[in-house]
Amino acid sequence: MTTDLLWLGALVLPAAPAVVLLRRTDARARSTAAAAPFALLPLAVLAVLGVGDGAGTGSWVLVDAVSRPLVLVATVLYTAALVVAARAGSPGAVRLTGLLLLCCVGNALALLAADVLALAVGCVLTTVAVALMARLPGTAAARSAARVHLALSVVADAALLAAAGLVVAAGGRRLADVPAVVAGSPVLVPVVVLTLVAFGVRAATFPLHGWLPLLESTVAIPVGAVLSGSVVKIGLVGLLRLLPLGEVALPGWGTAVVVVALVGGLLALVPGVLNDDAEASLGYSTVGQMGFITVLVGAALAVPELAEACVLSAVVYAVHHGMAKGGLVLSVQIWQRHGAGPLRGPVLAGAAVLALAVVGAPLGSGAVAKYAAKRALADGPELAVVTVALPFVATVSTLILVRTAAILRRHVRPGPVGADVGLVSWAVLCLGGTVVTWYLAGRWVPVLSVPALDTVTLWQATWPVLLGLGVAGLGAGAVRAGLVPARVRSLTVPRGDLVALLGRALDATSRARGRAPAGTGGGADRPG
């Protein structure tokens, strides 16, 4: 009971100022917004201390190797996003701060939930918060992206509620019991299908992924950081909690998940490169990385003996990606603010460290995560082709990030700017994006081992990145030499790719109801 009260208090604490900030925009509210990051401190402390880890079945929170590190990462990311958002000091920033706090509460609740109903509540709360943040910029593009996100989220939440109903009826209300209950019940196939839909959308996995890059191209940059870094991890946790991993072999379903996730992870290259918006490209990079993580889920679904290693590897990868990618998205705003000033060098260095971590270069957190994933799949000979293809996801990420860097070179605000609190919080993410995953993998997930610094291991982490840099260099050289036709250079993919059609349909419906017309492009006028 004491454990439950501690966690409940940690969730209520940020919820209280969120309500205040959503109702008021006066000077007192702005002061509250400036102090908002401190409201997340209890969540971080409880996660670090592991309060409730291994608690009995009576607890309403599930603190384990899945939720504990992800809650810690979420807390760090939301804190950094709050610091950056509050720096603006405008009434819009006050409301954004309130919605970030609300989103953090829903996000943490979904990660910590011990039963399916709490998981559903956390997901719905996150949907509402993200939908409101998506509309904040007030542009036509933002309204259109918000409609797409809300439509897909409603489908996802409806599928989750249907799955929850089936699971509860089968006697598996508590998430710790769900895999075994589902594996031995007649609702196995419906629950698997509904879970893949519900959390495939939330995890931004192919082909349900388009809402993320579309939304990231319009929302404020701090919102994009928590979307890529933490919100999509709800999708991973939902898959791990509701699928019967380790309880029954489902080779057909597992193979299908592996193939679709791998194809999506590789295909993210096309819209990620054929794009002129840095945040949208970063969104496609997240799509590719989440495809990598979902491959591990599919492997665990197909081969029960691999479930424990695959689950823990997926969590380690999610921790790495949350810290490094959240920091990389925030780098866009840091670069725009400091890229022309005396801190240009340190900013470039920090962004480069985060980018190398994201693509899995040696000595970074990505190298740890990918090493763990490869070790997890090594014991499944039927998955050998997967281990051959997975490194190319790093090549895809490298190409997308090179494209992102090329776009950002043209977006620097003139004038020197000194160090500020936003830069400091971003620097913490730079450190976390390289160090934290090594620590968590070694201390919190002792089943897994970190990579050795031998020549073979270093080369395996290096060659996919070098391949991406080489292809990017050859492409740039071909363009400069005039070897690429103009019609090829002008090729673009609509932001959101597959969901762009959904966006147009929703826009048409909106116009038919007398609302202002909206499009799916743009986003240059969104707030920082």
Side-chain angles (χ1 to χ4, degrees):
M1 180 60 70
T2 302
T3 297
D4 289 347
L5 291 177
L6 287 173
W7 282 104
L8 178 61
L11 290 174
V12 170
L13 187 59
V19 173
V20 173
L21 295 173
L22 292 177
R23 294 171 60 90
R24 302 171 60 176
T25 58
D26 55 16
R28 185 174 180 180
R30 289 193 290 273
S31 298
T32 302
F38 294 102
L40 304 185
L41 184 59
L43 271 175
V45 171
L46 292 178
V48 170
L49 297 179
V51 174
D53 195 357
T57 58
S59 177
W60 66 270
V61 293
L62 182 54
V63 182
D64 59 5
V66 173
S67 61
R68 183 185 175 193
L70 291 177
V71 168
L72 178 58
V73 169
T75 305
V76 173
L77 267 180
Y78 277 97
T79 300
L82 286 167
V83 169
V84 173
R87 184 186 55 80
S90 65
V94 169
R95 183 170 178 80
L96 176 59
T97 299
L99 290 173
L100 280 170
L101 287 171
L102 185 66
C103 193
C104 182
V105 172
N107 200 335
L109 178 60
L111 297 177
L112 289 165
D115 63 70
V116 291
L117 297 181
L119 175 62
V121 170
C123 287
V124 171
L125 185 57
T126 306
T127 293
V128 172
V130 172
L132 293 174
M133 287 190 292
R135 294 185 63 86
L136 271 185
T139 64
R143 290 191 294 271
S144 178
R147 280 192 286 270
V148 169
H149 163 264
L150 188 59
L152 290 175
S153 294
V154 167
V155 172
D157 289 341
L160 172 57
L161 292 173
L166 293 175
V167 167
V168 171
R173 176 169 177 168
R174 298 196 61 79
L175 290 173
D177 303 328
V178 168
V181 170
V182 169
S185 74
V187 300
L188 171 62
V189 172
V191 169
V192 169
V193 172
L194 290 169
T195 298
L196 291 175
V197 172
F199 294 105
V201 171
R202 291 198 169 277
T205 54
F206 180 84
L208 307 171
H209 64 284
W211 65 269
L212 179 63
L214 181 59
L215 212 58
E216 289 216 27
S217 69
T218 60
V219 297
I221 291 172
V223 178
V226 298
L227 285 177
S228 273
S230 188
V231 171
V232 295
K233 304 310 185 295
I234 296 176
L236 170 64
V237 170
L239 293 172
L240 298 182
R241 300 300 195 199
L242 294 187
L243 291 176
L245 305 181
E247 298 291 340
V248 61
L250 296 175
W253 285 103
T255 302
V257 170
V258 168
V259 171
V260 172
L262 190 56
V263 169
L266 297 175
L267 286 182
L269 171 67
V270 178
V273 171
L274 299 180
N275 205 294
D276 60 355
D277 184 278
E279 289 79 11
S281 291
L282 288 174
Y284 280 111
S285 173
T286 296
V287 170
Q289 299 289 326
M290 291 305 294
F292 187 106
I293 295 175
T294 308
V295 165
L296 293 168
V297 177
L301 193 61
V303 186
E305 295 77 16
L306 300 180
E308 182 182 13
C310 283
V311 167
L312 294 177
S313 298
V315 172
V316 170
Y317 199 100
V319 169
H320 135 72
H321 182 264
M323 293 291 288
K325 192 54 176 289
L328 195 58
V329 174
L330 283 179
S331 297
V332 174
Q333 184 162 328
I334 298 299
W335 169 252
Q336 291 173 348
R337 180 169 171 78
H338 298 277
L343 297 174
R344 176 187 177 93
V347 168
L348 281 174
V353 166
L354 291 171
L356 290 172
V358 167
V359 301
L363 306 181
S365 59
V368 181
K370 291 182 179 180
Y371 181 83
K374 183 177 179 180
R375 289 291 300 271
L377 296 173
D379 294 331
E382 58 271 73
L383 299 170
V385 66
V386 177
T387 60
V388 172
L390 277 180
F392 291 100
V393 176
T395 303
V396 167
S397 292
T398 302
L399 287 165
I400 293 176
L401 293 187
V402 169
R403 172 59 179 164
T404 303
I407 297 171
L408 287 177
R409 287 180 59 189
R410 307 190 299 267
H411 295 87
V412 182
R413 297 172 186 171
V417 179
D420 54 26
V421 67
L423 183 66
V424 173
S425 65
W426 172 77
V428 172
L429 290 180
C430 291
L431 180 64
T434 54
V435 175
V436 167
T437 303
W438 286 80
Y439 176 82
L440 294 183
R443 295 292 299 274
W444 290 7
V445 195
V447 176
L448 303 179
S449 56
V450 298
L453 300 180
D454 59 85
T455 304
V456 173
T457 303
L458 291 174
W459 174 245
Q460 289 175 342
T462 301
W463 74 258
V465 180
L466 292 178
L467 177 61
L469 293 174
V471 172
L474 289 174
V479 170
R480 285 194 297 268
L483 300 177
V484 181
R487 63 177 180 274
V488 175
R489 295 199 305 269
S490 62
L491 285 176
T492 59
V493 174
R495 295 170 196 169
D497 54 273
L498 297 178
V499 304
L501 297 176
L502 173 61
R504 292 169 187 167
L506 293 174
D507 292 345
T509 302
S510 177
R511 289 193 292 269
R513 292 177 179 175
R515 298 177 182 175
T520 57
D525 52 351
R526 67 178 176 277

